[in-house]
Amino acid sequence: MNLIDNIVAQAAAMTAIRRDIHAHPETCFEEHRTSELVAKLLTEWGIEVHRGLGKTGVVGLIRGRDGGQSGRSLGLRADMDALPMQELNSFAHASKTPGKMHACGHDGHTTMLLAAAQHLARQRDFDGTVVLIFQPAEELGGGAHAMIEDGLFERFPVDAVFGTHNWPGMAVGDIALSSGPVMASTNEFKIVIQGRGCHGAMPHMGIDPVPVACQVVQGFQTIISRNKKPIDSAVLSVTMIHAGEATNVVPDHCEIQGTVRTFRTEVLDLIESRMREVAEHICAAHQASCEFGFARNYPATVNDVEATAFARAALAEVVGADHVIDQEPTMGAEDFSYMLQAKPGAYFFLGNGDGAHRTGGHGAGPCVLHNPSYDFNDDLLPLGASAFVHLVHRWFARPA
Ligand SMILES: [Zn+2]
Ligand SMILES: [Zn+2]
């Protein structure tokens, strides 16, 4: 592995920072302490800091050789937020905030970008400007979108943007990325079927929404199997059905909720409109009324072809070409997608290992994302930071 010596020399300091952030998790636009820490460190290292984008977002600007005269710029992004869940680890750096935990490794992502920033600010051995983007609220709030809405790319233009996520189960030293859609859009629906409640023994006196809801759920199945092209990936999961309170009462209404995930907007458009038709017509056939709600959350994460090819070559310099592997797309979602809608770039995955980094005090559960026993693997800090730095060097070394 081709790690950068100056970064490796900071590994212990970076591990301390990562564990400090881990011990003080903050969620969804409340990353006050974390953003304060990030801004303080960047300032200490002589980096120009801008705050308040997307409420708690932080932007750092590192101008390279001769003030970055080429006019070119590159964005590097890390997410800072934790999850609203209880940590089950008991090591010294376990969460000090009940009900909040860094179970997705954003503490590690933030620290890797900090380590890269410290090195780049010392050396300034590139011709252009690096825009460091520390964003809030990846998990639930669309913090990337909030920063863009606050003028992120107008105030700090970038030619391309890169981001990364640790990936448990993949070997440390492996990096996965592919061009095209790699993570799905995430969307949710809520359908309220309004019937007319009555006595359970006299169903003819009312309109029972329960069998209607069952037919609606059944009707949805053929949207995936019969309406969309077989080659297009999509998931439609009904995850909640709520109706009724007593065995002898026909409920007045029934709620159906769930998630839809796709890689392409055209497929999403088709699924949403077919769902509406199926739900409304089945309800009408049974004399119930239908309130159909559909909300589009994060768009699909789509890696730019050219930026992915560029990143593969740059990352191969760090881990070797054999260890830059293809990423199988996942129906999970990621709000870096908003940045990739605005700018070319790529999102890559860093192997977090199989959990062998865990020692005493770690919980008993698997070391997977969003598990209460998860912990970021600190061995990744020099690797991820070196990866960012190689992206920078190679980006600005390209012919103008
Ligand atoms: Zn997560
Ligand atoms: Zn995450």
Side-chain angles (χ1 to χ4, degrees):
M1 234 185 296
N2 186 19
L3 303 179
I4 294 166
D5 291 342
N6 284 339
I7 289 177
V8 174
Q10 294 298 317
M14 290 301 153
T15 295
I17 291 169
R18 202 283 296 179
R19 293 182 176 190
D20 178 63
I21 298 172
H22 189 95
H24 301 93
E26 297 171 306
T27 53
C28 205
F29 295 118
E30 290 173 358
E31 302 86 347
H32 301 292
R33 183 187 186 276
T34 312
S35 60
E36 186 67 36
L37 175 69
V38 166
K40 182 181 105 94
L41 289 170
L42 296 179
T43 304
E44 267 174 37
W45 300 331
I47 297 169
E48 182 181 323
V49 171
H50 298 263
R51 302 185 63 177
L53 289 93
K55 293 187 186 156
T56 46
V58 181
V59 172
L61 298 183
I62 310 176
R63 294 191 175 82
R65 198 179 299 127
D66 306 322
Q69 283 182 339
S70 72
R72 292 193 287 174
S73 57
L74 184 67
L76 300 175
R77 171 272 202 177
D79 39 16
M80 302 187 289
D81 59 317
L83 283 155
M85 57 185 278
Q86 184 64 37
E87 178 158 6
L88 293 186
N89 296 310
S90 58
F91 44 58
H93 62 279
S95 171
K96 297 191 189 310
T97 310
K100 294 188 182 180
M101 174 191 180
H102 270 293
C104 205
H106 300 183
D107 48 345
H109 303 164
T110 296
T111 310
M112 292 190 297
L113 188 54
L114 283 171
Q118 185 185 28
H119 176 78
L120 290 166
R122 268 190 194 148
Q123 305 292 327
R124 302 196 187 251
D125 51 354
F126 55 89
D127 188 9
T129 301
V130 173
V131 179
L132 308 161
I133 304 165
F134 293 89
Q135 76 150 79
E138 189 286 320
E139 294 287 359
L140 295 163
H145 187 244
M147 288 188 79
I148 293 168
E149 290 284 290
D150 280 350
L152 173 65
F153 293 133
E154 285 82 44
R155 292 175 61 192
F156 313 105
V158 298
D159 302 325
V161 62
F162 292 94
T164 187
H165 207 291
N166 76 99
W167 209 245
M170 195 164 90
V172 173
D174 280 359
I175 296 178
L177 81 162
S178 294
S179 62
V182 290
M183 299 186 91
S185 68
T186 171
N187 315 277
E188 52 193 24
F189 57 87
K190 179 175 177 179
I191 299 158
V192 182
I193 298 170
Q194 186 65 50
R196 196 169 65 236
C198 61
H199 197 294
M202 303 164 203
H204 60 291
M205 304 294 288
I207 297 171
D208 186 352
V210 172
V212 184
C214 295
Q215 287 194 23
V216 168
V217 173
Q218 289 294 340
F220 284 168
Q221 305 310 312
T222 51
I223 296 172
I224 300 299
S225 68
R226 305 287 89 177
N227 292 150
K228 73 162 185 66
K229 282 198 294 188
I231 209 76
D232 285 322
S233 301
V235 173
L236 191 173
S237 293
V238 173
T239 54
M240 291 189 268
I241 301 182
H242 292 148
E245 285 158 307
T247 53
N248 61 351
V249 176
V250 168
D252 198 51
H253 64 278
C254 181
E255 285 180 12
I256 303 174
Q257 296 185 66
T259 184
V260 172
R261 288 156 185 247
T262 70
F263 289 130
R264 296 202 302 123
T265 308
E266 295 82 354
V267 180
L268 181 59
D269 291 343
L270 171 79
I271 291 174
E272 180 183 342
S273 71
R274 284 295 295 138
M275 285 178 72
R276 182 187 294 275
E277 287 170 2
V278 166
E280 289 180 347
H281 285 88
I282 288 175
C283 288
H286 296 280
Q287 300 172 308
S289 64
C290 177
E291 189 187 302
F292 183 87
F294 196 97
R296 298 188 180 200
N297 298 333
Y298 298 172
T301 303
V302 183
N303 282 344
D304 176 74
V305 175
E306 218 176 295
T308 303
F310 160 81
R312 289 187 80 98
L315 297 170
E317 290 173 355
V318 186
V319 293
D322 290 352
H323 292 281
V324 180
I325 59 180
D326 289 336
Q327 190 218 329
E328 184 180 73
T330 150
M331 299 313 272
E334 161 62 52
D335 84 343
F336 188 60
S337 54
Y338 289 108
M339 296 197 186
L340 291 179
Q341 280 189 330
K343 297 289 172 184
Y347 194 59
F348 57 95
F349 291 81
L350 281 177
N352 193 52
D354 58 7
H357 61 285
R358 297 198 299 173
T359 54
H362 282 89
C367 193
V368 296
L369 301 177
H370 295 206
N371 181 279
S373 300
Y374 168 87
D375 191 30
F376 183 84
N377 184 350
D378 288 311
D379 290 348
L380 285 188
L381 295 173
L383 173 55
S386 297
F388 278 135
V389 170
H390 276 268
L391 285 169
V392 168
H393 284 158
R394 203 177 171 103
W395 185 262
F396 294 111
R398 298 180 325 154

